[in-house]
Amino acid sequence: MGDFKKALGDEAILVFDGAMGTLLQGRGLAPGQSPELFGLAHPEAIVATHREYIEAGSRVVTANTFGGTRYKLPAGTDVTGLNREMARLARRAAGDAAFVAGSVGPTGQFAAPLGKVTLAELVDAFAEQIAGLADGGCDLIVGETHFDLAEAKALVLACRKVCRLPVAVCMTFEGSASLTGSPPEVFADAMENLGVDLVGVNCGAGPDDMRLVAEVFSRRLKTPFFVKPNAGMPRLENGRTVFPMGPEEFAEKTARFADLGAKALSGCCGTTPAHIAALARALSGRSRVRGAAPDHPILAVTSRARSVTLGGASPCAVIGERINPTGKPELAAELAAGEFTRALAFAEAQVAAGAAILDVNVGAPMVDETAVLPGLSLELTKRQSVPLCLDSNNAAALAAALWASPATPLVNSISGEPGRMELLGPLCRDHGAPFILLPLQGRKLPVTAAERLAIIEALVAQAESLGIPRRLILVDALALTVSSKPEAALACLETIRHCRQAWGLPTVLGLSNISFGLPARELVNAAFFAMCLGAGLAGAIANPNVSRLMETGAAGEVLLGRDPQAGRFIDRYAGRKAAAPQAAAAERAVAEEAASPIRQAVIKGRKAELDGLIDAALAEGREAAAILSEELIPGIMDVGERYERKEYFLPQLLVAAEAMRAGFERLEPLLTETAGARKARIVMATVEGDIHDIGKNIVCLMLKNHGFEVVDLGKDVPASRIVAEAASRDADVIGLSALMTTTMVRMEDTVRLVREQGLRAKVMVGGAVVTEAFARSIGADAHAADAVDAVRQAKGLVGANA
């Protein structure tokens, strides 16, 4: 067929294939059976399915390997061999008529700190699968239906580890973000940082609801993008799951993504060869529209939930400098002991004051940076949504911290020190981590702008020779103190201007260095900051708690035309009186926490603090029951409300739930009044044939935190066992989960058995594909849209059962 990368660069729109499960069911795949194992036993069914799509007009067919990792296949399966064989079948069907994509779906695991597996373990699992796909003749690897940025990153790292094939990655979004809180622009920026060849969205929505994501891609990406919608949203008709959108309507609506510049189009759940044939006809004769990508950033640093852009029309980003043990003996002592209380407090205060990125430096005597830097990074990732700047002279510590990051953090820094670019440059390239380029070479400080620019030019050339793109380079303009070098500030300004105007490179500097040795340093820093803003500075490493500095920055953005209609400035300073807004905000935060420190510990997920806070409250004479009802429960309820308002996402929900659980366990032995009371009991299960249990596990955790006794039966559980367990345990509620349209129909089996046996238990259903209408159609008592709603619905059902 040829070179897929070359095909990505031409003007033709690539049509991929559609859904495979429905066609395989028509060829004998049983409900709940592994499509991959079915393919091994029935190779001709797989070949025939691929050929149907090629005849329909697909230029790319996708190997039957979506669930082909060690986490999804039965123990003892030859993972590499299975994937190799599925790829060979697709290659046999495609011949020279189509490209073959190796499909890699989610593992069902969360990377730490959300789950128990490490990023490296996910990479190993994906590498095992991808090695087989590459060996079997795939032309590219395509990640499909991913919902967590860390897992998407692991997939890309695995590809780079075992093959040189082009990589496409598709994420599934629920409204404005993925399940773990990544908006489309964050996903787009992270994937471009990682150097993927095709960025996509698939599943979870029909073409109408996928439009907003595609529009973000169109404005944001220079990388080609891929849109793969469902044939509408599923519904139940006569006991079967059906998708309402026919081939012509699907084709008409999906073809419109070509107007936005989509390079590749296809269909996900509910689409058939007829849908793909109609889409191919609708696209016949059309060429790719190449847009200007007006929102494409010069450089972007990402966390799981946020992207901070630097350079161009982006506001200057303040990189909070306070997490640094230099001059802070108490912080240094805590870090040496592996404790993070002060560091986390510094992080929270800086974010509240306006820091866009948090610099994390743990370098101090007796601190094992290779353990502490990644450990603190994980804790910060659990609690803060802003990206991190990993700051260390220790290359091994930076490597360990990058492996602990779910996204593409900033690395501080790479200098001209012999061997440092060769060691750290490829690591940053592979992890998609932008880095600060420090113009230091040899023992002499480059005082003049000419000296700095010569070093920068040489280091950029060296980086490019290692395959490191310029989009990952942030130049340090190198602020030296003016008290000893009066020309230092002017040299910085000239360096900033030249990098921006001549090379298109964004710049950053450590702001406070300029005023060292002078009185009233905040005056000098603020004036210098204003001058740097005018020259084009993209980021400043500084203390965001200094109100004069933040005021200067906010006013400067208005004057430079980078704060449209002065919106951010007005939001921050409207009604300002004498008090600085940062100080006022800090005072409000202190007052809020002083009023209810236990509740705030739950809301912020400060699990380590709760025992001490609860012990102090008990010592003051507060009753355990009062602490539970007045502090812990209101705290977790507040978290639920923030989750529903999309202020919190899954990471914050989980860390708050862990804190709540720790607090409850501390109080439980003291709750004598309720010790003998029966808790409301709920039996939870993922239905027969479905091996997805992440959503169900989250619901179980939330229910336990709200006082339910939860009996978790796991995944792939037959209706007969669910009902038998509910009867033997006298359950108040049965909770059923399903992620696949082919298995959600099994929920009706449980509802029917409950009614036939006359159980008093109410039935609640949920899952990504399950709707309110479906729940009503099968006779379920309630439908839960998410984990927070599940708690609300379960409480209502228990009340109805009382």
Side-chain angles (χ1 to χ4, degrees):
M1 180 66 183
D3 183 348
F4 186 77
K5 280 198 175 183
K6 185 177 179 181
L8 280 177
D10 67 26
E11 301 307 308
I13 297 172
L14 289 166
V15 178
F16 281 59
D17 51 7
M20 178 167 283
T22 305
L23 271 67
L24 292 184
Q25 284 181 340
R27 293 185 162 99
L29 175 67
Q33 185 179 6
S34 163
E36 293 79 20
L37 296 181
F38 173 83
L40 283 181
H42 303 89
E44 293 308 319
I46 304 300
V47 172
T49 300
H50 290 316
R51 285 178 176 161
E52 279 193 57
Y53 277 117
I54 294 169
E55 290 166 4
S58 296
R59 286 189 63 199
V60 186
V61 292
T62 309
N64 176 40
T65 53
F66 179 79
T69 63
R70 65 175 74 154
Y71 293 110
K72 290 293 183 72
L73 295 169
T77 303
D78 178 359
V79 173
T80 302
L82 180 146
N83 282 276
R84 182 189 301 114
E85 183 58 25
M86 290 298 103
R88 285 174 175 169
L89 293 176
R91 182 82 273 160
R92 190 173 107 200
D96 293 328
F99 293 108
V100 172
S103 174
V104 181
T107 61
Q109 305 292 314
F110 280 126
L114 296 186
K116 296 180 180 179
V117 300
T118 65
L119 188 71
E121 287 170 336
L122 287 177
V123 169
D124 287 344
F126 284 137
E128 185 178 41
Q129 178 182 19
I130 292 165
L133 294 171
D135 194 38
C138 288
D139 299 293
L140 70 150
I141 303 299
V142 57
E144 300 184 281
T145 324
H146 288 276
F147 50 79
D148 181 41
L149 194 60
E151 190 169 52
K153 175 182 174 179
L155 189 157
V156 179
L157 289 170
C159 286
R160 303 295 187 231
K161 180 178 180 180
V162 298
C163 70
R164 295 180 177 272
L165 293 176
V167 184
V169 183
C170 296
M171 183 163 273
T172 297
F173 297 92
E174 300 178 358
S176 62
S178 71
L179 175 66
T180 54
S182 300
E185 58 269 22
V186 171
F187 174 63
D189 291 346
M191 291 302 105
E192 284 207 311
N193 282 349
L194 284 160
V196 304
D197 301 280
L198 187 64
V199 178
V201 53
N202 81 294
C203 206
D208 293 330
D209 293 330
M210 212 168 265
R211 177 94 187 172
L212 291 177
V213 175
E215 287 175 349
V216 171
F217 287 176
S218 177
R219 295 193 307 267
R220 196 85 171 188
L221 286 166
K222 286 189 176 178
T223 301
F225 69 93
F226 179 20
V227 184
K228 186 176 179 179
N230 293 343
M233 293 305 291
R235 63 189 184 212
L236 193 67
E237 291 183 1
N238 300 320
R240 293 179 61 250
T241 304
V242 298
F243 287 82
M245 197 171 286
E248 297 305 324
E249 182 186 4
F250 172 83
E252 177 192 357
K253 292 183 174 181
T254 302
R256 293 174 189 167
F257 293 117
D259 300 330
L260 293 175
K263 169 63 181 177
L265 294 169
S266 71
C268 202
C269 298
T271 57
T272 66
H275 289 79
I276 299 304
L279 178 60
R281 289 193 299 271
L283 294 170
S284 179
R286 297 189 62 174
S287 297
R288 179 187 174 197
V289 176
R290 292 183 182 268
D295 296 343
H296 187 265
I298 303 295
L299 182 143
V301 183
T302 69
S303 66
R304 183 182 263 113
R306 193 174 299 184
S307 182
V308 175
T309 60
L310 296 101
S314 301
C316 183
V318 173
I319 303 171
E321 67 181 4
R322 298 287 289 152
I323 305 175
N324 187 324
T326 303
K328 303 183 186 77
E330 296 88 354
L331 176 61
E334 279 197 355
L335 293 174
E339 298 175 4
F340 303 136
T341 303
R342 280 182 172 79
L344 296 174
F346 278 132
E348 192 166 327
Q350 290 182 105
V351 171
I357 299 171
L358 292 173
D359 190 82
V360 188
N361 185 319
V362 300
M366 308 304 293
V367 174
D368 179 3
E369 287 194 64
T370 58
V372 174
L373 186 61
L376 177 54
S377 298
L378 281 173
E379 290 302 313
L380 289 167
T381 297
K382 288 166 69 174
R383 290 164 173 78
Q384 301 296 337
S385 62
V386 300
L388 303 181
C389 174
L390 308 172
D391 186 354
S392 179
N393 290 321
N394 186 323
L398 288 173
L402 282 173
W403 278 103
S405 171
T408 57
L410 184 63
V411 167
N412 187 10
S413 58
I414 299 180
S415 67
E417 177 187 344
R420 192 161 175 92
M421 177 68 77
E422 293 88 343
L423 180 62
L424 287 177
L427 185 69
C428 289
R429 176 199 64 205
D430 294 345
H431 281 262
F435 60 89
I436 295 175
L437 188 77
L438 186 63
L440 290 178
Q441 210 165 35
R443 296 183 179 181
K444 182 184 175 184
L445 278 176
V447 177
T448 69
E451 290 172 317
R452 299 177 197 195
L453 293 170
I455 296 172
I456 292 165
E457 189 170 23
L459 289 178
V460 169
Q462 185 184 13
E464 291 183 320
S465 73
L466 294 170
I468 300 166
R470 284 187 175 224
R471 67 172 177 266
L472 296 182
I473 299 175
L474 178 64
V475 174
D476 193 329
L478 198 63
L480 304 177
T481 177
V482 292
S483 62
S484 61
K485 294 179 173 58
E487 70 274 37
L490 291 174
C492 270
L493 297 173
E494 187 178 340
T495 300
I496 292 166
R497 280 191 290 265
H498 188 90
C499 285
R500 178 173 63 88
Q501 295 169 359
W503 296 334
L505 290 171
T507 51
V508 68
L509 49 74
L511 194 63
S512 62
N513 292 342
I514 202 74
S515 63
F516 185 77
L518 295 175
R521 294 182 64 186
E522 70 276 8
L523 298 180
V524 179
N525 293 344
F528 182 53
F529 188 28
M531 297 169 75
C532 290
L533 287 175
L537 185 71
I541 302 173
N543 182 357
N545 301 108
V546 177
S547 57
R548 187 184 297 273
L549 180 74
M550 301 303 285
E551 291 164 356
T552 300
E557 295 300 334
V558 174
L559 298 173
L560 290 167
R562 296 193 303 220
D563 185 358
Q565 289 77 50
R568 292 190 301 272
F569 185 85
I570 291 169
D571 285 346
R572 180 175 289 192
Y573 296 106
R576 176 179 185 244
K577 297 193 172 96
Q582 280 77 29
E587 287 172 8
R588 285 194 300 271
V590 168
E592 181 184 33
E593 298 221 0
S596 185
I598 294 175
R599 187 182 308 182
Q600 285 299 311
V602 173
I603 293 170
K604 300 297 185 181
R606 299 173 185 158
K607 178 180 174 182
E609 297 178 21
L610 263 179
D611 272 2
L613 290 170
I614 290 173
D615 285 344
L618 292 170
E620 291 170 0
R622 292 193 68 182
E623 296 290 334
I627 295 172
L628 177 64
S629 62
E630 297 170 11
E631 305 284 4
L632 297 186
I633 291 176
I636 201 68
M637 293 297 289
D638 190 336
V639 169
E641 291 168 5
R642 294 180 191 215
Y643 181 78
E644 291 187 319
R645 293 195 302 265
K646 299 298 183 184
E647 295 173 12
Y648 272 16
F649 290 93
L650 186 60
Q652 293 93 342
L653 186 70
L654 290 178
V655 75
E658 288 176 7
M660 167 71 181
R661 189 69 181 161
F664 181 77
E665 287 174 354
R666 173 66 184 88
L667 291 174
E668 192 170 22
L670 307 176
L671 297 172
T672 53
E673 293 180 9
T674 58
R678 179 189 182 277
K679 294 181 179 180
R681 187 174 295 130
I682 182 166
V683 170
M684 292 289 299
T686 301
V687 297
E688 185 174 12
D690 203 317
I691 58 172
H692 301 88
D693 63 355
I694 284 181
K696 184 259 300 170
N697 293 344
I698 295 167
V699 171
C700 288
L701 178 63
M702 291 298 292
L703 288 166
K704 289 175 183 176
N705 283 340
H706 282 265
F708 283 86
E709 179 187 337
V710 178
V711 180
D712 185 1
L713 302 182
K715 56 193 176 184
D716 190 18
V717 186
S720 57
R721 184 184 168 209
I722 296 170
V723 174
E725 290 283 351
S728 67
R729 296 173 182 268
D730 190 26
D732 300 279
V733 179
I734 296 171
L736 304 176
S737 173
L739 188 67
M740 300 187 298
T741 57
T742 54
T743 58
M744 69 188 218
V745 294
R746 299 275 70 82
M747 291 177 164
E748 189 175 12
D749 300 342
T750 301
V751 174
R752 186 178 62 255
L753 277 177
V754 166
R755 304 292 183 258
E756 289 175 356
Q757 296 187 21
L759 268 63
R760 69 181 192 88
K762 304 291 186 181
V763 180
M764 174 176 68
V765 298
V769 295
V770 180
T771 63
E772 179 74 37
F774 173 79
R776 287 196 303 268
S777 73
I778 64 171
D781 298 292
H783 164 253
D786 53 42
V788 173
D789 191 34
V791 173
R792 184 185 304 109
Q793 297 294 340
K795 287 182 176 180
L797 294 176
V798 169
N801 237 351

